Amino acid sequence: MATKALVFLLLVGVASATSTSHVSINFGGANVNYNNDHVDGPAEGYHPAPVSYHPAPAYHPDPKYPVHHEPKYPAHPAPAYHPEPAYHPKPSYEHHEPKNPACSELTNATYCLEDEEYPEYEIKHAIQYHLDKFNHLYADVADLNTELSVERPETLDEETYLCPSETAYIRPLRAQNTEGKWRIVVNEIELHYKTFTQSARVEDCLTAGEDCPKVPMCYESKCLQKSIYHRFLVYDPYDQYFPFAIETFKLPASCACLLGAYTIDH
């Protein structure tokens, strides 16, 4: 009888525990519910995310840079400076033409009627380049041609003088100006069917300083060379801007007889 009562109490306790208790255990996504012996599985179509573990990166140690060491040898000595270079003197931009042209050695006059070194081509090129300004200068001296400016005998034979002399109409290619410098005279240049010429009348005294002929001995007399200043249009090959200019030249003009006082010691 006692045994039956004990079994009955055990059954009642088990039934009471089953109706009131609920245990749920999770095993990686599967829920196991110990509730009335019913187990809930994972949701339909659910796949657990794969778990992948990466190893921790292996860090390299910091690079070891070479340590800069100061040289053990002493510092360089101060450089030895060379002396300041000696510069040449400032160049002179004056004329570099020869003091006396070659043609001057062939004459005793202050002008050359012939010149083997005459720069005819260079003069033509310069006139073409500066034609307008050149024409203005040339017009200023063109009327100074001696045979056109004053009335002169048509032939030299008609001219008679007390002292002997030689007269000529010249067209110099080079001449010595009043400053003693030789210049190239623009003469006999043909360009554009026109010839550029410059003429002058000169008279050289043949017996300068001697007594005048046909003068009585009781008079002191002497043949004297007289000069005239004439302007010529010249070409300067060393002028890079405008190589033409008008300069003044001293030319022999006449041979006069200078009379002195009357004397009786003749």
Side-chain angles (χ1 to χ4, degrees), residues 67-113:
V67 181
H68 177 71
H69 298 283
E70 295 293 336
K72 297 181 181 180
Y73 48 84
H76 294 287
Y81 295 99
H82 297 286
E84 184 177 355
Y87 295 100
H88 296 287
K90 184 179 180 180
S92 175
Y93 296 98
E94 298 178 356
H95 297 286
H96 300 284
E97 60 184 301
K99 184 177 181 181
N100 297 322
C103 68
S104 65
E105 300 177 0
L106 305 177
T107 180
N108 295 326
T110 58
Y111 52 86
C112 295
L113 300 180

Side-chain angles (χ1 to χ4, degrees), residues 144-170:
L144 296 179
N145 290 339
T146 306
E147 66 269 41
L148 300 178
S149 59
V150 295
E151 294 183 0
R152 298 289 180 181
E154 295 181 0
T155 62
L156 298 180
D157 297 337
E158 299 179 13
E159 299 180 14
T160 58
Y161 298 94
L162 188 59
C163 291
S165 62
E166 288 185 353
T167 306
Y169 295 103
I170 63 172

Side-chain angles (χ1 to χ4, degrees), residues 199-215:
S199 302
R201 179 188 180 278
V202 295
E203 181 180 344
D204 291 312
C205 192
L206 299 180
T207 58
E210 299 180 5
D211 294 337
C212 299
K214 302 179 180 181
V215 175

Side-chain angles (χ1 to χ4, degrees), residues 116-159:
E116 295 182 356
E117 300 176 348
Y118 191 72
E120 180 179 356
Y121 175 81
E122 289 79 0
I123 295 176
K124 288 183 178 181
H125 178 75
I127 293 176
Q128 180 66 38
Y129 189 79
H130 304 280
L131 187 58
D132 292 339
K133 295 181 65 177
F134 174 84
N135 285 332
H136 283 84
L137 286 181
Y138 182 74
D140 191 21
V141 298
D143 293 336
L144 296 179
N145 290 339
T146 306
E147 66 269 41
L148 300 178
S149 59
V150 295
E151 294 183 0
R152 298 289 180 181
E154 295 181 0
T155 62
L156 298 180
D157 297 337
E158 299 179 13
E159 299 180 14

